[in-house]
Amino acid sequence: MRIKKKHKTRNLTFAGIASLVVICCGMVFSIILGGEIVASPISANTEIPIPLEKIIQLTFSAAGAQTAAASSPTSPPLSTIAPTATLLVLPNTTLESTATLPALPPQSDIPLRFHFIDVGQGDSTLIQTPYGENILIDGGESETGVVQYLQSVGVQKIDLMVATHPHSDHIGGLVQVLRAFPVAKVLTSGEAHTTGTYENFIDGIASAQAEYIEGKRGDIIQINGLSLLVLNPLNNQYPDMNENSLVLQFTYGNTTFLLMGDGGADVESALLASGVPLRADILKVGHHASTSGSTPAFLGAVSPSVALYSAGIGNSYNHPAPQTITAITNAGAIIYGTDKNGTIILTVDSNGYQITTQKAGGLSSPLSTPTGQPVSASGVEIASVTSPVSPGAYATLTANTTPGASCSITVYYKSGPSKASGLEPRPADSNGSVSWTWKVGLKTTSGNWRIVVNCGGIIKETTFTVQ
Amino acid sequence: MTKVVIDRFEGAFAVLILGEDNDRLQVPRASLPAEAKEGDWLQVEFQDETVISAVIDSQEATDAKKRIADKLALLRSGAHLKNKADKP
């Protein structure tokens, strides 16, 4: 059954569907398949009417027994499905009517930790959910330290391993992870390779007796309150494996992540054409910030505040490409790369996110710590900003943070970051107050413009209006 | 001659995985046959790390594809999970 979209599908809607499964079933992993979801515009307190194509739920098995039963979301009622020793699969279920789902539960204040791990020339990301689950997305090349990193942050098991695509700089390290930790489930793009590395990887999945899942656009992987939405691949139609990468999007608190794998311009244009909402606060840039992607149209649609890329120091591949870095900077994002910053950790809660890096010094980022040891901050609040303001007038922003914290500010106009004098980095005073005053140029385009303040790695954003 | 498989292309380079021990080696893409693509197996003659000659070995690729497809089919079927309950 194909259901035409009546309205633009919204992230919240996808999250709402998956949340229902979790609310009802406790410790449940579920996949909701079939991206053709009709979503009406919703508000926070209304019920969400959503016809689904099919739902697959996978509950964790304590005893390993497996049963399969066809059903729909109304039969049996989800609320009767206990977190029992059952793998419940609901295949090929068609739901003709409109399911009514409850509104989203409030987000927790427990932080989620997003580790963008420095594995040299390769990709590896660890997400530690608020409820103690570990999601590992790619593992770099073999022997590049991902196992040691996971051990160093206390990981004892992997609840979900994701291989975005079968290139060795993404799956090589996963082979060791499969040997070193219990791994419950492995999600892939479904594309096979003919390399020994890939064969070792699938042998490793079999030996680890991890459940094997393939993701397609529209699937939702639900892990105890966190919904990973699969945006790519559609049907592995590209000759280049990079373009068939799993692309994942998720939101925690009010922070949205978009993880591009090694996806490039083909994926980007397909996503733009699909109408899927792409706006994200944090963008994991596709393919090590090479020239294969990060097109202006895509970056404009995502409009990230922070862009992360992985690359090995001194790699032969011109990663990251200078023109890609320029494009990302022009899109208004602060850039962090594992070659410059080492491992990058984002701590996300309902108030926003904090970024800590292993090494100081970002790349072409006006917010990076210039030199020396940064003074860390325990928080930052924007106390006031002049708004609205007329072109030619002065604006002032004042923020409160930890006394002595190193602070920087970036004002993003239509053309990109402002280079006005008065916006230089400076430390907070002994009361923890820091302020900047700058002239809004006479030619400044009117509109609402972003201002990003970074004190000791903690970032807060606001906007102001130029008349 | 060394059996290699093309893991991927990175700009002007091809990343090769050497058959026996899965070592990696990057070589100029131009040193391989123009029609070579990701996943192709090749018989390569090296001098140190320089490709002297490279010939596509379609039989090797076909064998690998078949062997891996069979393994993948087992994973997709969940057959590897059958004994899980027996494990302590």
Side-chain angles (χ1 to χ4, degrees), chain A residues 194-459:
Chain A
T194 56
T195 63
T197 312
Y198 178 76
E199 194 165 0
N200 288 344
F201 172 61
I202 58 172
D203 286 347
I205 298 169
S207 300
Q209 299 192 322
E211 195 174 312
Y212 176 82
I213 315 166
E214 295 175 356
K216 293 279 178 288
R217 184 189 296 167
D219 294 351
I220 294 175
I221 291 87
Q222 173 73 36
I223 296 191
N224 221 5
L226 192 70
S227 301
L228 302 178
L229 174 59
V230 179
L231 300 185
N232 197 64
L234 200 52
N235 47 22
N236 288 325
Q237 71 268 44
Y238 298 107
D240 180 351
M241 288 178 185
N242 287 338
E243 302 288 357
N244 298 323
S245 286
L246 279 169
V247 171
L248 301 173
Q249 186 190 56
F250 71 93
T251 298
Y252 187 69
N254 48 23
T255 303
T256 298
F257 289 74
L258 179 59
L259 313 178
M260 289 299 291
D262 269 0
D266 286 343
V267 177
E268 293 174 3
S269 59
L271 290 178
L272 287 167
S274 75
V276 173
L278 295 175
R279 170 82 184 88
D281 303 283
I282 316 293
L283 172 67
K284 201 298 282 185
V285 178
H287 196 225
H288 319 284
S290 78
T291 53
S292 71
S294 301
T295 53
F298 176 75
L299 290 172
V302 178
S303 186
S305 302
V306 172
L308 310 171
Y309 70 86
S310 66
I313 295 170
N315 69 79
S316 326
Y317 312 134
N318 196 30
H319 296 165
Q323 56 268 52
T324 303
I325 295 299
T326 302
I328 296 167
T329 304
N330 288 344
I334 305 155
I335 304 174
Y336 293 87
T338 56
D339 54 347
K340 307 283 184 197
N341 300 103
T343 294
I344 299 148
I345 301 173
L346 282 80
T347 306
V348 189
D349 64 19
S350 56
N351 298 315
Y353 53 88
Q354 298 179 9
I355 300 177
T356 48
T357 61
Q358 185 187 8
K359 293 186 271 185
L363 178 71
S364 59
S365 160
L367 301 189
S368 61
T369 308
T371 50
Q373 285 300 309
V375 176
S376 63
S378 55
V380 56
E381 290 300 331
I382 294 170
S384 65
V385 61
T386 312
S387 181
V389 60
S390 300
Y394 283 88
T396 298
L397 180 143
T398 302
N400 295 319
T401 181
T402 306
S406 314
C407 294
S408 59
I409 185 171
T410 310
V411 179
Y412 293 100
Y413 295 128
K414 187 178 184 186
S415 59
S418 169
K419 295 182 174 62
S421 66
L423 293 172
E424 294 80 12
R426 63 191 53 168
D429 67 19
S430 57
N431 296 319
S433 179
V434 56
S435 72
W436 293 268
T437 297
W438 69 100
K439 189 177 182 179
V440 177
L442 280 169
K443 298 269 174 73
T444 304
T445 310
S446 62
N448 294 319
W449 304 114
R450 284 172 56 219
I451 303 177
V452 179
V453 175
N454 180 342
C455 289
I458 300 176
I459 291 170

Side-chain angles (χ1 to χ4, degrees), chain A residues 11-157:
Chain A
N11 296 346
L12 193 57
T13 310
F14 284 107
I17 302 161
S19 296
L20 176 72
V21 176
V22 159
I23 296 160
C24 298
C25 310
M27 178 60 191
V28 169
F29 279 62
S30 72
I31 300 184
I32 300 183
L33 295 172
E36 298 297 321
I37 293 174
V38 176
S40 300
I42 50 174
S43 64
N45 296 318
T46 55
E47 293 188 327
I48 308 166
I50 303 162
L52 304 177
E53 198 166 73
K54 57 186 176 178
I55 292 180
I56 287 183
Q57 293 182 336
L58 302 170
T59 66
F60 246 139
S61 167
Q66 294 176 51
T67 61
S71 183
S72 76
T74 52
S75 174
L78 290 175
S79 56
T80 64
I81 302 172
T84 56
T86 305
L87 170 65
L88 182 69
V89 185
L90 314 176
N92 303 319
T93 300
T94 304
L95 180 64
E96 301 290 348
S97 61
T98 297
T100 302
L101 300 175
L104 283 171
Q107 286 280 0
S108 169
D109 275 343
I110 310 166
L112 170 148
R113 287 183 214 288
F114 182 96
H115 306 245
F116 194 54
I117 306 167
D118 179 10
V119 288
Q121 182 64 26
D123 243 34
S124 188
T125 301
L126 170 69
I127 301 169
Q128 294 184 292
T129 77
Y131 300 103
E133 285 95 10
N134 297 307
I135 304 168
L136 179 67
I137 304 171
D138 292 334
E141 293 280 8
S142 60
E143 314 295 347
T144 47
V146 66
V147 168
Q148 291 78 359
Y149 184 82
L150 295 176
Q151 286 166 340
S152 76
V153 294
V155 168
Q156 295 182 328
K157 41 117 188 163

